[in-house]
């Protein structure tokens, strides 16, 4: 099935009409490119020049869509024009066809066309020199170069510039896209970090407030109510203070921001607060004395212990809780074991969202460490099941020597294998 060429652009139609009308004007004024008699003399020899003119004008309509066909038709028309009195409009339109073939044609043609037209120019020049044996033949060769080689080279150069500009725009768009992706990822990471920090700052205090406030409302005991109100006030004040420090960090300039990142030195206060909230923390062990761990590692260890104690208060059964930190193989290990039995802690239960476990795992993985949390069998008194949280945080180059026990027992018992929940 014969496929018709697409509708030519308006600019190509304008070029074809301008060339045709210009050729007709030159023909009407008797202006031709050949002064000598034509090769095919007739009574109306000047009229024959209109056929190549019309063919070349028609080929201009194909200068973008069918570049090869347009160039072939234009070449035949230019050769035919040499057997008539000639038209300058035909020659000019043919140079545009060569230019368009290099600019809009297939890439292979655009690469070959300058070389082919250059060889044609050289061959015609040498042939004319050999035939006429006069220096004036070089001028004819120069005209041939202007008609063939010049437009082809110009079109190829412009095509290369356009392709380079398109590649540069594509690289710029890709760079902008990557920058936007990096920005979105940075915002997402920062939001996740803020969510972890906010959760760790207030979850423990709010859990204690919820448990003791419900106890104060449900028990008709003045002493118990006063103790519960005291715990509520203490956790409220501590929670507000930590929230205030976090807000100061968000509002302050980077150089003036106060430091709110807790360290391992604050774990003693954290454990005492957990005991005051009603958690039976019987064993608390810090790593042996030595250089302190890097700030990110210390912060992660603190938050993991804090969240583990909060979960034990909210969801654990009555019984002793162990918090053990150690240093081995260039890493800081954190293990918190709490009761997990059929007996529920007396008093109200606080629902959980699972964000605590997710936050602890993220903290460990961001440091290149590992995290596991799940029930273990036979780790407690009487062989009952207990819940174990275990994190291994690499210390990197900051790993130092031993550091003495601060509180609790110095021995590190085997807490059993970890199975993730």
């Amino acid at each position: 099935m014969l496929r018709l060429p697409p509708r030519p652009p308006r600019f190509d139609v304008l070029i074809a009409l301008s060339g045709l009308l210009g050729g007709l004007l030159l023909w009407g004024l008797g202006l031709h490119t050949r002064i000598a008699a034509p090769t095919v003399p007739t009574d109306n020899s000047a009229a024959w020049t209109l056929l190549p003119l019309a063919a070349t004008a028609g080929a201009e309509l194909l200068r973008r869509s069918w570049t090869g066909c347009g160039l072939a038709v234009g070449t035949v028309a230019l050769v035919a024009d040499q057997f008539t009195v000639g038209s300058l409009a035909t020659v000019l339109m043919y140079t545009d066809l060569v230019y368009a073939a290099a600019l809009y044609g297939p890439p292979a043609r655009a690469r070959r066309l300058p070389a082919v037209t250059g060889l044609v120019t050289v061959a015609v020049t040498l042939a004319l020199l050999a035939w006429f044996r006069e220096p004036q033949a070089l001028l004819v060769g120069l005209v041939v170069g202007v008609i063939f080689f010049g437009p082809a080279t110009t079109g190829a150069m412009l095509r290369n510039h356009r392709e380079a500009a398109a590649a540069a725009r594509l690289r710029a768009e890709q760079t902008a896209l990557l920058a936007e992706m990096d920005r979105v990822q940075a915002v997402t990471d920062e939001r996740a970090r803020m969510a972890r920090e906010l959760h760790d700052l207030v979850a423990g205090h709010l859990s204690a407030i919820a448990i003791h406030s419900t106890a104060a409302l449900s028990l008709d005991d003045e002493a118990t109510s006063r103790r519960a109100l005291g715990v509520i006030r203490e956790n409220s004040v501590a929670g507000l203070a930590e929230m205030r420090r976090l807000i100061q960090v968000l509002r302050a300039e980077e150089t003036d921001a106060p430091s709110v990142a807790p360290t391992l030195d604050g774990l003693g206060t954290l454990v005492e607060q957990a005991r005051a909230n009603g958690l039976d923390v019987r064993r608390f062990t810090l790593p042996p004395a030595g250089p302190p761990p890097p700030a990110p590692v210390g912060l992660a260890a603190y938050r993991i212990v804090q969240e583990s104690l909060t979960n034990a208060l909210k969801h654990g059964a009555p019984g002793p809780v162990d918090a053990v930190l150690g240093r081995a193989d260039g890493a800081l290990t954190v293990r918190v074991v709490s009761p997990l039995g059929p007996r529920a802690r007396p008093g109200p239960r606080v629902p959980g969202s699972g964000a605590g476990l997710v936050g602890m795992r993220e903290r460990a993985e961001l440091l290149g460490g590992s995290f596991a949390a799940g029930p273990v069998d036979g780790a407690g008194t009487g062989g009952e099941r207990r819940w174990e949280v275990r994190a291994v945080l690499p210390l990197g180059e900051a790993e130092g020597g031993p550091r003495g026990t601060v509180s609790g027992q110095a021995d590190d018992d085997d807490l059993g294998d970890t199975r993730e929940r």
Side-chain angles (χ1 to χ4, degrees):
M1 183 178 179
L2 182 62
R3 183 171 61 92
L4 297 177
R7 182 178 180 180
R10 182 179 301 178
F11 182 73
D12 295 352
V13 175
L14 181 61
I15 292 178
L17 289 177
S18 300
L20 181 61
L21 294 177
L24 292 175
L25 178 62
L26 294 175
W27 176 77
L29 295 176
L31 300 177
H32 310 294
T33 57
R34 292 174 60 90
I35 301 177
T39 306
V40 185
T42 60
D43 295 337
N44 192 15
S45 59
W48 286 98
T49 194
L50 297 180
L51 293 179
L53 175 67
T56 308
E60 284 283 20
L61 300 177
L62 307 176
R63 62 191 297 271
R64 293 177 192 260
S65 55
W66 289 5
T67 56
C69 181
L71 182 61
V73 172
T75 303
V76 174
L78 181 66
V79 173
D81 186 67
Q82 304 308 309
F83 294 93
T84 67
V85 293
S87 173
L88 181 61
T90 301
V91 176
L92 293 179
M93 285 191 291
Y94 180 78
T95 59
D96 180 69
L97 291 175
V98 177
Y99 167 81
L103 181 60
Y104 303 115
R109 182 183 301 159
R111 291 192 299 267
R112 291 195 301 262
L113 200 57
V116 172
T117 55
L119 292 177
V120 170
T121 301
V122 173
V124 170
T125 303
L126 294 178
L128 291 176
L129 280 174
W131 180 264
F132 292 105
R133 298 181 181 277
E134 293 184 4
Q136 286 79 1
L138 294 175
L139 297 179
V140 180
L142 179 61
V143 173
V144 173
V146 171
I147 296 174
F148 289 93
F149 181 70
T153 305
T154 303
M157 291 175 59
L158 182 58
R159 183 191 186 105
N160 292 336
H161 284 303
R162 287 185 176 182
E163 291 177 351
R169 285 194 299 270
L170 179 60
R171 286 194 298 269
E173 292 174 358
Q174 292 176 343
T175 302
L177 179 60
L178 291 176
E180 178 63 17
M181 292 174 62
D182 290 341
R183 187 192 69 81
V184 172
Q185 185 62 39
V187 171
T188 303
D189 293 343
E190 183 64 16
R191 292 179 63 180
R193 188 187 71 83
M194 292 299 302
R196 288 194 302 270
E197 289 295 323
L198 185 60
H199 176 273
D200 294 341
L201 282 175
V202 302
H205 298 301
L206 292 180
S207 298
I209 291 173
I211 292 174
H212 287 85
S213 61
T214 305
L217 292 173
S218 60
L219 298 178
D220 190 14
D221 184 2
E222 182 178 355
T224 303
S225 298
R226 290 184 62 85
R227 269 196 314 271
L229 291 175
V231 174
I232 291 173
R233 183 185 184 282
E234 180 181 351
N235 282 274
S236 301
V237 172
L240 287 174
E242 295 200 21
M243 285 291 295
R244 188 178 298 112
R245 288 197 299 268
L246 180 60
I247 293 174
Q248 288 176 353
V249 170
L250 295 177
R251 288 182 174 178
E253 296 292 336
E254 182 179 358
T255 56
D256 300 330
S259 175
V260 298
T263 62
L264 296 184
D265 296 334
L267 284 177
T269 304
L270 179 66
V271 169
E272 292 301 326
Q273 185 178 17
R275 289 169 178 164
N277 291 336
L279 196 64
D280 185 12
V281 183
R282 294 189 182 180
R283 189 172 68 143
F284 168 54
T285 305
L286 282 176
V297 176
L299 174 62
Y302 182 95
R303 294 304 187 196
I304 290 174
V305 173
Q306 182 184 39
E307 181 60 26
S308 300
L309 296 179
T310 299
N311 287 341
L313 178 64
K314 289 170 28 176
H315 310 296
V321 177
D322 298 331
V324 180
L325 283 79
R327 199 188 295 255
D329 299 329
L332 181 67
T333 60
V334 179
R335 287 191 294 176
V336 180
V337 184
S338 58
L340 180 66
R343 297 174 297 133
R345 183 180 298 275
R349 309 292 291 175
V350 179
S353 62
L357 291 178
V358 174
M360 289 189 287
R361 183 180 301 277
E362 289 178 349
R363 289 185 184 276
E365 292 178 351
L366 286 175
L367 297 174
S370 61
F371 174 82
V376 292
D377 295 326
T381 304
E384 74 274 9
R385 303 183 74 196
R386 309 192 75 191
W387 181 267
E388 180 188 67
V389 173
R390 178 182 175 87
V392 179
L393 309 175
L395 292 171
E397 298 179 355
E399 209 278 39
R403 186 178 169 189
T405 300
V406 175
S407 173
Q409 301 178 13
D411 297 333
D412 190 7
D413 298 333
D414 185 9
L415 296 179
D417 297 331
T418 300
R419 287 173 293 171
E420 292 197 35
R421 180 171 58 179

